[in-house]
Amino acid sequence: MTQGKLCNKRPVNTEEELHSLLADKGGKSYYEEMQDLDVDASEIASILEKTLKSRMRTWLEICTHCGLCADSCFFFLANNRDPEQVPSFKIQSTLGKLYRRKGGVDNEFMRMAMDTAWSKCTCCNRCGLYCPFGIDMGVMFSYLRGICFSQGFVPWELKIGSGMHRIYRAQMDITTEDWVDTCRWMVEEHEDEWPGLTIPIDKPDVDIMYTVNAREPKHYPEDLAEAAILFHIAGENWTVPSIGWEETSLAMFAGDWEGARLQVESVYEAMRRLNPGRMVVTECGHAYRATVIEGPYWAGLASGKTPVETFHYVEWVVEALRNGKLKIDPSRKIKEPVTYQDSCNYVRNGGLGDIAREIMGYIAEDFREMSPCREHNFCCGGGGGLNGIGRYRRERNIGLKVKRDQILATGAKLVITPCHNCWDAVRDLEEVYRIGIRWSFLKPILLSMVEIPHHLLPKE
Amino acid sequence: MYDILIGPMAWVSFGVLMMGLVIRILRYIRGLDWKLDRVAYTKNISFGVKGALRSVVLWLFPFGTRSWRDHPVFTVLVFLFHIGLLTVPVFLTAHNILLKEKWGFSLWTLSENAADGIVLLVITTGLLLVLRRVALPEVRKITDANDLTVMLLAITPFVTGYLAHHQASTYGFWLYAHIISGEILLMAIPFTKLSHFALFFMSRVQLGMDFGIKRGGMKGKGMAW
Amino acid sequence: MFGKVLFATTATPACDNAAHVAFNIAEKYHSELLIFHVLGLPSRGFSPFVRDARTGEEEYYDQDYIQWVEEELKNTYAEQLARYPNARIMTMAGTPHTEILRLARKEDVDFIVMGAHSRQERTGALGYRQAGSNMQRVARSARCPVLIVNRPCTTCLWYFSNIIFGTDFSRASYSAFLFASKLAREIGSRLYIFHALDLSAMHAGKIFSQEEIEDQIKAAKEKIHRIYLSQMQDYDNVEMEIWEGVPYMEILKYCREKNGDLIVMAHHTREIDPEEALLGSTVEQVVLRASCPVASVNRPDKIQEQRKTR
């Protein structure tokens, strides 16, 4: 068995392993080691036997190769209709072969499968909507990622990411102390302006338990402050858990199902501990997908639902707007043309498309839909972890073209992106293609136009 | 020979078809796993049924879904092809005569001209679909021998049946070819991609339940296929 | 007051003047000096890329890179470090203003020194009052005084002999006053309390009569006496003045006349509409044009804290 020091089939479980991976510049030796990594065919065969059941078997077998999935895929469109980018081809030449050969593949095949699974598919599931047979290749690629991960064929950043979840129960090295301290810091920074502002930590039996994306405490703590201020204005009784506050799942992107389970269980544990009325998740797509849509199954919850009811941030916003907890000053609505980036993970795969429109009706005067939109919207180009993988930067940047053209066609210069991945992809899109757009989460936009109840203003 | 073909062999081929399909459907259902598929099939059955119905019904109508609308030519070809494929064998006068002889009942029948027209339509659309496979690079890329074989299996009974009907001089040969190819087709259905005869519904129901139960069906208005 | 000084630098020549002042202050007040450089934007969230603050190139954020940057910082400030070695070099990847504020809080620093031209994040991302440069954001939110150095300080020979405190009588201004008066007292410098009656509204067509103006000046004088001078007790090295005009112009003229080597003002939190932030507040205008450093003080924390310990 050839296993590398860095590149191997063991998931990262200790800080020591994590640091040695991080010290490997750009994953250089990691990918070198990957060239010699052994493939355990019998192990793959046994995984396939146990987990590739009738749903996917049928998908792989009955695909009539009609090609309707081709132009549903933004990679196909962005790559000048390259036949190699047809979803059916991509899945048949990887998982399909793996299944037909019963795992009997070599190292080179596995590296090809890895490149395909992570750089040619963002698991946006759009193809599933266009196949007459309902063959959802996003689901299969996600499954393929799991098989690749089990053999150690996973992009360097995602091996690290899944290790972070295993060690810190967060996608980045943020300890409980860091998290709690960031909450306190944000209160300190804003309490002068917002007397009485708090970020209650571990308060039991509140109405709302709020959970976030680790990037917020790490790089954008204002986002946390903005959430707190909006809850404050809306008069919500809320809290954040000191443990189990992280919603995201790079483990899901990596295909590390065990890591993904550990991560969501930390959140469910917080729900059980604090017994909130419901949970609200920050403006992140995959976090919602991981913890709310897929998570219950990883954790073996037969209801298929989180222990307490969960709202995506847009659901909370629309509720607050409907019942007047947040009131928009009509004179401060967005006047310029503005468009909305539907996140695959909570619009196509979460059914929240109508809610997004309703919010835009409250906050914008000239809302322009992208075409296509809602369930049929294209992936931003950075989903499925692709934004973060250095090895596939080129492929990612090509993929961004579809979103670029969609945005340009609306004529809007402002894009509302209530999803961290979309937000990032749109930022990178601007960095790469320079089309002169701005983008924003909902929170800052809401704060710039919400009416502030008189009693919340500071006394001068 | 003829008696064997339309007697025991017919029984065998219908038997294989029916048994095969039943087994495939049962195996499909047995292979569903709420944990592996990550769909709580039984817990939220009302949402599941709603999602499944939307997923099947909308796709059964031409232009009922966005994918059909986005590909109008293909949609027309596919629907004509499949309608012909299913109606002619069932409602052909000759088949119904046979039915009456054997089992003592018959169905409503097509006029000769209509049947001829539909048969030609099946053959033409079938060939056009093959042509599409060759012409479009994205379809050519994924097409393999299997796809062509399946198409051949499907239209051969139509070609042979048509010739049997119109080539009086070689009637005998074409009739045998027709019966044999028809029976092969029936028996091939459960074992090839033609199993989508039944599995189309299973797969659509499954994905419909997936979206109906898990992926947004409980929050939105249902997937806008 | 200058026990722990945080010098936030882009390590480019834009911060040279600030570096000069930071080291001089540290030397004079025997401060512990933290030289802090934010490595660049944490690109793509969880990925290990950063965009180098100086070159604009994409780099891998790893030990090699950090070491290289720290080495570069040592070279950049080699001369100053040789004279004043009680300095720590620190780096962090992130959004500059966030990381500066985070470190200031974590290390409980007494004083932040930075250049005015901190590179602005070139981004179209909207945030809640996130417009503006890193300097603006740090000045707005820091709990300790923030000294912004733009031009070479020609009058800075003694840190500081003539302190100009500009007020608009806001609550934040009181914090600025606490700092200015305490500093003046501690180092025996002359304190100039200055208020400019804002006549910039006249451009908008509003016309004040001479009487109105005089009434307002009188009221301002009373306020200065009541709020500030009454706090000075025995310290009499104080002057006050009220001019009328566009505030930032007036304070600059006044500073010039008095040979000021430090301007102390509050950087308002409320006065900045995000859309206008780039045009700048009074502080911004003063910072860009003043020939001496400008201390922005919004909060009393660090000043009162020390009062308690005494």
Side-chain angles (χ1 to χ4, degrees):
Chain A
M1 286 300 294
T2 321
Q3 292 288 318
K5 254 179 68 192
L6 300 169
C7 185
N8 50 51
K9 51 200 276 192
R10 288 188 311 276
V12 173
N13 278 316
T14 65
E15 282 192 314
E16 197 189 341
E17 291 167 308
L18 189 67
H19 290 148
S20 52
L21 262 174
L22 282 167
D24 175 26
K25 197 181 187 75
K28 197 163 170 284
S29 15
Y30 176 85
Y31 287 121
E32 270 165 23
E33 286 179 12
M34 192 181 283
Q35 314 244 355
D36 301 317
L37 197 57
D38 262 355
V39 183
D40 187 342
S42 63
E43 191 181 66
I44 297 180
S46 126
I47 294 175
L48 290 171
E49 176 65 33
K50 284 189 203 123
T51 60
L52 190 91
K53 297 286 197 178
S54 61
R55 174 173 71 153
M56 276 189 269
R57 259 177 221 206
T58 305
W59 281 346
L60 288 172
E61 281 171 12
I62 67 172
C63 172
T64 57
H65 303 145
C66 71
L68 283 200
C69 53
D71 43 20
S72 75
C73 179
F74 73 96
F75 276 118
F76 175 77
L77 299 174
N79 288 283
N80 300 319
R81 308 181 67 86
D82 177 359
E84 303 232 329
Q85 290 282 3
V86 177
S88 168
F89 175 79
K90 290 186 275 194
I91 199 68
Q92 290 290 352
S93 59
T94 50
L95 184 63
K97 266 195 186 153
L98 207 55
Y99 167 58
R100 289 189 289 274
R101 293 185 192 167
K102 297 194 167 50
V105 295
D106 59 8
N107 176 294
E108 200 189 336
F109 179 94
M110 288 304 286
R111 279 183 286 127
M112 181 277 290
M114 174 184 89
D115 290 341
T116 310
W118 276 280
S119 77
K120 294 181 174 182
C121 179
T122 60
C123 301
C124 80
N125 305 92
R126 192 168 188 267
C127 46
L129 266 54
Y130 287 78
C131 172
F133 292 170
I135 301 177
D136 190 333
M137 281 150 279
V139 169
M140 287 198 275
F141 269 113
S142 176
Y143 174 80
L144 175 63
R145 288 177 177 199
I147 291 181
C148 289
F149 183 87
S150 76
Q151 297 297 306
F153 293 87
V154 56
W156 177 65
E157 288 88 347
L158 289 178
K159 176 107 177 182
I160 293 171
S162 100
M164 290 278 186
H165 283 291
R166 283 164 174 268
I167 297 164
Y168 300 104
R169 296 291 185 273
Q171 61 161 277
M172 287 185 279
D173 51 348
I174 301 174
T175 60
T176 301
E177 293 73 50
D178 294 340
W179 158 247
V180 169
D181 196 47
T182 306
C183 293
R184 290 206 185 106
W185 171 32
M186 282 301 114
V187 171
E188 281 171 24
E189 208 162 87
H190 293 271
E191 64 192 350
D192 287 357
E193 208 182 332
W194 299 97
L197 180 74
T198 55
I199 300 183
I201 294 165
D202 283 339
K203 197 170 150 194
D205 307 319
V206 292
D207 297 333
I208 292 175
M209 178 173 104
Y210 180 63
T211 47
V212 303
N213 177 323
R215 293 181 49 187
E216 292 167 7
K218 187 83 169 181
H219 295 312
Y220 309 111
E222 316 81 53
D223 196 283
L224 185 59
E226 289 160 6
I229 294 168
L230 283 166
F231 282 142
H232 182 61
I233 294 173
E236 295 287 10
N237 179 18
W238 67 294
T239 192
V240 294
S242 59
I243 298 168
W245 50 269
E246 160 74 309
E247 285 289 321
T248 68
S249 188
L250 295 188
M252 171 173 80
F253 288 160
D256 174 10
W257 308 125
E258 173 63 10
R261 182 183 66 78
L262 292 170
Q263 180 60 48
V264 299
E265 283 192 335
S266 76
V267 179
Y268 301 161
E269 178 51 39
M271 288 178 172
R272 295 187 186 107
R273 183 162 47 90
L274 299 177
N275 187 36
R278 55 189 167 151
M279 175 168 84
V280 172
V281 179
T282 190
E283 294 173 65
C284 185
H286 94 274
Y288 180 79
R289 177 84 177 268
T291 311
V292 185
I293 299 181
E294 311 289 351
Y297 298 96
W298 297 329
L301 305 178
S303 65
K305 292 180 183 166
T306 47
V308 303
E309 191 191 8
T310 306
F311 274 28
H312 188 273
Y313 199 75
V314 296
E315 294 180 272
W316 177 77
V317 169
V318 91
E319 181 197 275
L321 288 170
R322 277 180 197 155
N323 63 22
K325 281 183 173 179
L326 293 179
K327 282 199 192 69
I328 300 295
D329 174 351
S331 69
R332 289 194 285 192
K333 282 169 86 166
I334 305 170
K335 308 225 166 25
E336 63 175 307
V338 55
T339 187
Y340 186 97
Q341 161 61 15
D342 286 298
S343 157
C344 307
N345 281 323
Y346 68 83
V347 175
R348 175 156 40 255
N349 292 300
L352 303 183
D354 283 340
I355 284 174
R357 270 70 207 167
E358 197 178 335
I359 293 174
M360 292 311 284
Y362 279 102
I363 66 172
E365 288 182 359
D366 184 3
F367 169 52
R368 312 227 176 139
E369 290 280 14
M370 289 187 204
S371 170
C373 60
R374 296 178 183 244
E375 286 97 335
H376 292 272
N377 192 26
F378 285 111
C379 169
C380 58
L386 187 55
N387 267 340
I389 306 173
R391 183 179 168 96
Y392 307 131
R393 180 47 39 101
R394 210 188 121 259
E395 288 82 351
R396 203 283 312 258
N397 288 349
I398 292 173
L400 293 174
K401 286 195 285 191
V402 171
K403 188 52 59 189
R404 174 197 67 185
D405 296 344
Q406 263 193 302
I407 294 173
L408 282 174
T410 64
K413 292 287 176 204
L414 177 60
V415 188
I416 307 294
T417 51
C419 164
H420 273 270
N421 248 319
C422 299
W423 190 94
D424 260 4
V426 172
R427 176 186 67 191
D428 287 4
L429 181 163
E430 173 62 20
E431 207 172 284
V432 177
Y433 296 108
R434 295 274 167 219
I435 56 171
I437 49 169
R438 289 164 296 126
W439 55 95
S440 177
F441 289 111
L442 279 170
K443 296 183 194 102
I445 299 275
L446 288 167
L447 271 176
S448 71
M449 58 180 65
V450 72
E451 284 175 5
I452 298 155
H454 199 70
H455 68 278
L456 295 180
L457 292 169
K459 291 169 194 69
E460 193 62 52
Chain B
M1 176 71 171
Y2 176 76
D3 287 337
I4 296 176
L5 281 179
I6 60 160
M9 275 313 289
W11 278 106
V12 169
S13 40
F14 276 109
V16 168
L17 170 71
M18 298 314 284
M19 287 301 290
L21 287 181
V22 167
I23 288 170
R24 288 216 70 156
I25 290 170
L26 289 178
R27 277 183 52 185
Y28 185 91
I29 295 170
R30 268 193 52 199
L32 290 177
D33 183 320
W34 72 271
K35 235 175 154 174
L36 286 174
D37 302 344
R38 302 205 291 264
V39 180
Y41 296 111
T42 49
K43 285 284 164 177
N44 305 288
I45 195 72
S46 64
F47 289 95
V49 170
K50 187 175 156 236
L53 281 174
R54 287 182 64 87
S55 169
V56 175
V57 173
L58 288 173
W59 281 92
L60 283 180
F61 289 95
F63 308 106
T65 64
R66 195 180 183 112
S67 189
W68 288 142
R69 288 192 291 273
D70 282 358
H71 306 92
V73 177
F74 177 78
T75 303
V76 169
L77 289 181
V78 161
F79 273 91
L80 289 179
F81 179 70
H82 280 85
I83 290 168
L85 217 52
L86 295 172
T87 51
V88 172
V90 180
F91 300 114
L92 190 77
T93 312
H95 288 182
N96 277 285
I97 293 171
L98 214 58
L99 206 59
K100 183 97 187 165
E101 274 174 20
K102 292 272 171 195
W103 292 341
F105 75 94
S106 66
L107 302 165
W108 174 83
T109 55
L110 287 162
S111 76
E112 291 235 339
N113 285 340
D116 268 4
I118 298 175
V119 167
L120 289 178
L121 202 64
V122 168
I123 297 169
T124 324
T125 50
L127 289 175
L128 285 172
L129 286 172
V130 172
L131 201 66
R132 173 180 174 275
R133 285 197 180 279
V134 185
L136 298 181
E138 67 267 28
V139 193
R140 187 164 64 229
K141 179 79 186 171
I142 47 181
T143 295
D144 56 22
N146 200 349
D147 299 322
L148 299 175
T149 313
V150 166
M151 179 58 90
L152 198 67
L153 278 177
I155 59 174
T156 308
F158 289 80
V159 176
T160 49
Y162 186 81
L163 289 174
H165 188 62
H166 292 274
Q167 302 278 315
S169 58
T170 46
Y171 173 75
F173 170 76
W174 289 119
L175 183 64
Y176 282 124
H178 173 67
I179 297 172
I180 292 170
S181 63
E183 287 173 351
I184 290 177
L185 173 62
L186 291 178
M187 288 189 284
I189 286 175
F191 303 102
T192 60
K193 287 184 189 196
L194 295 170
S195 57
H196 75 254
F197 185 78
L199 293 179
F200 162 86
F201 295 94
M202 304 315 290
S203 181
R204 283 241 63 91
V205 163
Q206 193 283 326
L207 196 70
M209 291 182 92
D210 189 330
F211 278 108
I213 290 167
K214 180 175 82 161
R215 292 195 254 166
M218 293 191 185
K219 289 198 167 171
K221 287 189 302 230
M223 174 53 73
W225 291 102
Chain C
M1 205 154 217
F2 299 109
K4 203 178 216 178
V5 175
L6 170 63
F7 167 45
T9 175
T10 54
T12 55
C15 285
D16 283 357
N17 297 322
H20 187 77
V21 172
F23 275 98
N24 281 348
I25 289 179
E27 233 176 304
K28 175 159 170 141
Y29 297 101
H30 309 288
S31 328
E32 182 186 352
L33 182 62
L34 308 179
I35 300 171
F36 184 52
H37 173 67
V38 181
L39 292 168
L41 293 176
S43 183
R44 342 302 150 205
F46 54 87
S47 89
F49 293 113
V50 295
R51 193 163 286 280
D52 191 271
R54 289 160 305 166
T55 61
E57 296 290 310
E58 206 162 77
E59 299 275 356
Y60 272 105
Y61 173 48
D62 62 6
Q63 280 308 315
D64 286 356
Y65 176 66
I66 294 168
Q67 259 172 25
W68 176 71
V69 173
E70 289 184 354
E71 220 35 60
E72 288 284 296
L73 281 168
K74 273 185 201 147
N75 293 338
T76 311
Y77 301 119
E79 206 183 302
Q80 287 104 318
L81 283 168
R83 271 204 335 264
Y84 192 75
N86 186 15
R88 261 192 289 161
I89 289 183
M90 302 171 97
T91 57
M92 178 61 75
T95 320
H97 71 101
T98 303
E99 296 311 322
I100 293 167
L101 289 167
R102 197 199 301 265
L103 184 73
R105 180 175 179 275
K106 191 171 149 223
E107 291 276 345
D108 198 19
V109 304
D110 300 305
F111 203 67
I112 297 174
V113 182
M114 61 194 293
H117 286 290
S118 296
R119 191 179 55 92
Q120 206 174 305
E121 193 182 326
R122 265 186 310 173
T123 165
L126 302 188
Y128 173 55
R129 283 207 261 92
Q130 285 303 300
S133 63
N134 286 304
M135 178 270 285
Q136 277 176 306
R137 298 187 211 179
V138 172
R140 205 151 56 205
S141 304
R143 303 196 84 80
C144 65
V146 179
L147 189 71
I148 304 146
V149 188
N150 185 27
R151 303 214 199 147
C153 183
T154 46
T155 44
C156 297
L157 299 172
W158 197 62
Y159 297 98
F160 297 92
S161 29
N162 295 309
I163 300 174
I164 316 288
F165 160 58
T167 178
D168 62 357
F169 302 113
S170 62
R171 197 169 58 156
S173 280
Y174 189 73
S175 303
F177 166 74
L178 288 178
F179 172 72
S181 61
K182 185 161 169 234
L183 186 63
R185 220 184 269 271
E186 234 163 65
I187 55 184
S189 41
R190 189 162 184 79
L191 178 65
Y192 297 86
I193 300 178
F194 179 79
H195 174 70
L197 203 56
D198 189 354
L199 296 188
S200 49
M202 280 177 81
H203 295 295
K206 196 170 179 210
I207 294 172
F208 295 104
S209 71
Q210 189 58 35
E211 252 171 62
E212 268 179 294
I213 293 174
E214 272 168 23
D215 280 353
Q216 287 188 38
I217 291 182
K218 207 172 143 219
K221 249 184 205 156
E222 270 166 26
K223 265 189 180 167
I224 290 183
H225 274 283
R226 184 162 43 87
I227 306 175
Y228 304 128
L229 290 178
S230 63
Q231 304 280 315
M232 296 306 294
Q233 289 137 12
D234 53 333
Y235 196 75
D236 58 2
N237 200 3
V238 186
E239 255 181 53
M240 70 169 259
E241 193 85 55
I242 296 166
W243 292 1
E244 68 263 17
V246 181
Y248 76 85
M249 287 304 291
E250 297 310 310
I251 196 166
L252 286 167
K253 282 193 271 180
Y254 183 71
C255 177
R256 237 175 111 87
E257 190 181 296
K258 299 296 176 190
N259 252 331
D261 53 9
L262 176 69
I263 298 174
V264 180
M265 340 177 27
H267 189 154
H268 282 239
T269 43
R270 279 224 175 256
E271 81 185 25
I272 300 168
D273 182 306
E275 281 165 27
E276 285 159 23
L278 282 176
L279 298 175
S281 59
T282 302
V283 174
E284 247 74 45
Q285 299 294 340
V286 171
V287 161
L288 291 176
R289 292 172 170 82
S291 54
C292 67
V294 178
S296 152
V297 189
N298 280 336
R299 291 184 163 92
D301 306 45
K302 293 309 293 183
I303 307 144
Q304 285 177 337
E305 213 172 82
Q306 281 165 355
R307 184 177 282 171
K308 265 180 251 154
T309 56
R310 224 186 268 168

